[in-house]
């Protein structure tokens, strides 16, 4: 167990921090417009706290309640184990995709990346 994971029993001060952090990460994920994405690192930079691994942990634990497919890996690959569902969402939303030389579908981050401007996140944080 790492320092950020509260132990069973009475939650300590770290649990409150994790809850605040998780809430901010999930708010950003909710605010990403359809057809756009942010990388785990983009989300961390946007909220000016943590890093890609911390954002990934929050998304792994709590992300099913938000459009998780809009928070992606820096290489544009769909979330391992959830590729089919993610790719279906990308197609429905019109997220720009590209094919690799091996025929694998990835998000075209140059066109799909969202910087937190315009409609979306500002109304949630």
């Amino acid at each position: 167990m790492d320092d950020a994971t509260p132990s069973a029993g009475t939650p300590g001060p770290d649990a409150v921090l994790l809850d605040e952090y998780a809430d901010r990460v999930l708010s950003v994920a909710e605010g990403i417009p359809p057809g756009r994405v942010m990388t785990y690192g983009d989300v961390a930079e946007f909220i000016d706290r943590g890093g890609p691994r911390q954002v990934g942990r929050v998304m792994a634990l709590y992300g099913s309640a938000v459009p998780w497919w809009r928070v992606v890996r820096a290489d544009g690959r769909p979330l391992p184990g959830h590729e089919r569902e993610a790719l279906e969402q990308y197609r429905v939303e019109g997220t720009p995709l590209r094919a690799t030389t091996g025929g694998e579908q990835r998000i075209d981050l140059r066109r799909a990346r969202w910087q937190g401007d315009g409609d979306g996140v500002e109304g949630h944080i």
Side-chain angles (χ1 to χ4, degrees), residues 11-124:
D14 286 343
V16 173
L17 292 176
L18 178 63
D19 288 342
E20 288 176 23
Y21 184 74
D23 185 54
R24 292 187 71 197
V25 168
L26 297 174
S27 291
V28 171
E30 283 183 321
I32 301 169
R36 305 298 297 276
V37 299
M38 291 179 94
T39 67
Y40 295 109
D42 292 341
V43 173
E45 186 176 323
F46 187 83
I47 63 176
D48 199 26
R49 192 160 158 219
R53 288 180 188 237
Q54 290 81 10
V55 171
R57 176 126 174 100
V58 169
M59 294 301 293
L61 293 173
Y62 310 110
S64 65
V66 298
W68 53 267
W69 58 90
R70 296 181 192 153
V71 181
V72 301
R73 298 164 50 139
D75 64 4
R77 282 188 294 160
L79 184 64
H82 301 277
E83 296 92 346
R84 182 179 293 169
E85 187 178 353
L87 286 168
E88 178 61 27
Q89 292 293 338
Y90 300 143
R91 288 183 186 105
V92 167
E93 294 183 356
T95 307
L97 299 173
R98 64 179 178 82
T100 65
T101 55
E104 185 180 40
Q105 290 290 307
R106 292 195 183 183
I107 298 159
D108 185 341
L109 288 174
R110 261 193 1 238
R111 294 178 23 219
R113 187 176 244 154
W114 189 62
Q115 302 297 323
D117 49 359
D119 292 336
V121 172
E122 290 82 6
H124 293 278

